[in-house]
Amino acid sequence: MQSKNPLDLNILIVVIAQEGNFIRASKKLGITPPSLTRRVSSLERSIGVKLFDRSTRNVQLTTAGRLFVQESSLSLMHAERAWDLARFQAQIEIGPYRIGYSPYTHSAFLPLLNGLSPVRRPGDEPSAIVLEAANTLELVERVLRGRLHAALGVGPISDRDLWVQRVGREGFSVCLPRNHRLAPKAAVTVHDLDREMVFWMPRSLQPRYYARVMKYIGSLGVQPLFREVKSEAHALEFAAHGFGIALLPRSAAHITHAGTVFKPLTDRYLGIETVLFMRRDQRYGDLKDLVDDLFSRLSALKIEIS
């Protein structure tokens, strides 16, 4: 089958497979059902095998069809990545630079991010810097896809396509209602958390880090009743209303809320590692200079709190 753009055919087949129905697929693709049917039939005649079983109202993939969709999905992914790479290069050349950060980034880093100066190129207008907040998984995805130039997230981050550098680490504080049994203590231990309702970050924000903390706490024979919340603010709110206690980074202790107190969690193993990362294949030119300067300035803050 001849086509000016073979990728279009891949898209047709993948959409039909996703919708399981030619009529729904045609609406999504913006073409008529007869036209879609003719194009699929022509493709099947060209390759000499049926891709769909049309014996029922909802079409099913044949074995050959499943193989075709599997490989087509990879082709579409690479094609989308090619578009992202091209857009990313354009952003590097004309700006603005986009830097991401996690809500769990140490508060001392935020003024530095907000104070980043535009990058000036000889004879050009300065390139603006735009900040975006997202959870670490989203930041990694955006950096890899070229939608962010660099980001600050929660470690560990392990990806061979990323340049990753640690810029700080901080321990935890526990936010307690003032009338809580642990409130009179100068500090709280991990064993004090046994059987306590503890509000903390969602597993989805950083699955590897979350699993590591859970494994460590479990190895101590401690069984807190963890409840996942979307943000530090939500955790603090639950603690303030007496529903339990909030496990927060030490830097969150500056947040005040009536009826609560903060106590340091005395465990040197538990802590949040902040890392700066960018794509390895973009470590050149102005972007490399910008990120290296940011790394130096972040490291100079010496955020190392156990």
Side-chain angles (χ1 to χ4, degrees):
M1 180 178 182
Q2 298 298 318
S3 172
K4 293 181 179 179
N5 186 1
L7 195 59
D8 288 343
L9 299 176
N10 297 62
I11 294 173
L12 294 181
I13 302 303
V14 170
V15 170
I16 295 170
Q18 291 173 341
E19 297 297 324
N21 181 284
F22 271 68
I23 294 177
R24 290 196 298 269
S26 65
K27 290 180 179 178
K28 189 170 184 178
L29 292 164
I31 59 178
T32 65
S35 175
L36 179 59
T37 300
R38 286 194 300 270
R39 296 183 68 177
V40 172
S41 297
S42 180
L43 174 61
E44 289 176 328
R45 288 194 300 271
S46 176
I47 60 180
V49 66
K50 290 287 186 181
L51 300 177
F52 295 101
D53 178 3
R54 299 176 178 80
S55 60
T56 61
R57 182 175 179 180
N58 292 327
V59 297
Q60 301 291 326
L61 286 167
T62 63
T63 300
R66 285 194 294 272
L67 291 172
F68 188 96
V69 168
Q70 177 180 313
E71 293 303 314
S72 292
S73 297
L74 290 174
S75 298
L76 295 177
M77 181 182 69
H78 287 301
E80 186 176 1
R81 180 173 170 80
W83 280 84
D84 286 336
L85 287 173
R87 283 194 294 263
F88 186 69
Q89 187 59 38
Q91 288 179 358
I92 290 176
E93 293 173 357
I94 64 175
Y97 288 111
R98 298 185 178 275
I99 308 295
Y101 65 94
S102 163
Y104 283 84
T105 297
H106 194 286
S107 60
F109 291 148
L110 299 183
L112 193 154
L113 290 178
N114 284 318
L116 285 175
S117 300
V119 178
R120 291 185 177 273
R121 301 183 179 91
D124 293 338
E125 292 295 320
S127 178
I129 294 174
V130 176
L131 301 180
E132 297 182 16
N135 70 56
T136 299
L137 285 182
E138 291 172 337
L139 294 174
V140 169
E141 178 68 13
R142 292 180 192 180
V143 169
L144 287 172
R145 295 181 70 85
R147 293 172 182 168
L148 287 174
H149 295 91
L152 282 173
V154 176
I157 294 175
S158 178
D159 190 297
R160 63 182 182 181
D161 292 327
L162 294 177
W163 172 87
V164 183
Q165 294 292 323
R166 190 174 93 163
V167 294
R169 181 186 182 279
E170 63 174 321
F172 285 106
S173 284
V174 176
C175 179
L176 307 158
R178 289 190 181 277
N179 60 356
H180 195 278
R181 67 178 182 86
L182 298 175
K185 300 190 67 171
V188 175
T189 69
V190 174
H191 288 89
D192 288 329
L193 303 182
D194 194 39
R195 305 297 176 179
E196 289 284 345
M197 181 73 72
V198 179
F199 296 98
W200 193 39
M201 69 167 66
R203 184 188 304 268
S204 60
L205 286 184
Q206 182 63 322
R208 291 181 60 196
Y209 175 69
Y210 190 100
R212 188 175 71 180
V213 171
M214 294 298 105
K215 182 178 180 180
Y216 172 69
I217 291 177
S219 72
L220 299 177
V222 180
Q223 296 182 333
L225 305 175
F226 280 104
R227 292 293 182 269
E228 299 179 17
V229 290
K230 292 184 178 180
S231 67
E232 293 179 6
H234 285 102
L236 184 61
E237 195 70 25
F238 281 121
H241 284 84
F243 295 118
I245 62 181
L247 187 61
L248 302 171
R250 291 276 180 90
S251 58
H254 72 281
I255 306 173
T256 58
H257 200 297
T260 63
V261 294
F262 279 86
K263 303 291 179 177
L265 182 67
T266 58
D267 190 291
R268 296 185 63 84
Y269 180 82
L270 291 178
I272 292 185
E273 181 182 76
T274 300
V275 295
L276 174 66
F277 58 97
M278 67 177 293
R279 283 177 36 170
R280 290 186 183 278
D281 60 0
Q282 297 297 335
R283 281 194 54 74
Y284 62 86
D286 292 331
L287 179 58
K288 177 182 182 300
D289 294 341
L290 171 68
V291 175
D292 285 351
D293 178 62
L294 177 59
F295 172 63
S296 298
R297 294 165 67 183
L298 291 169
S299 300
L301 294 177
K302 299 187 183 302
I303 304 298
E304 297 289 337
I305 305 172
S306 299

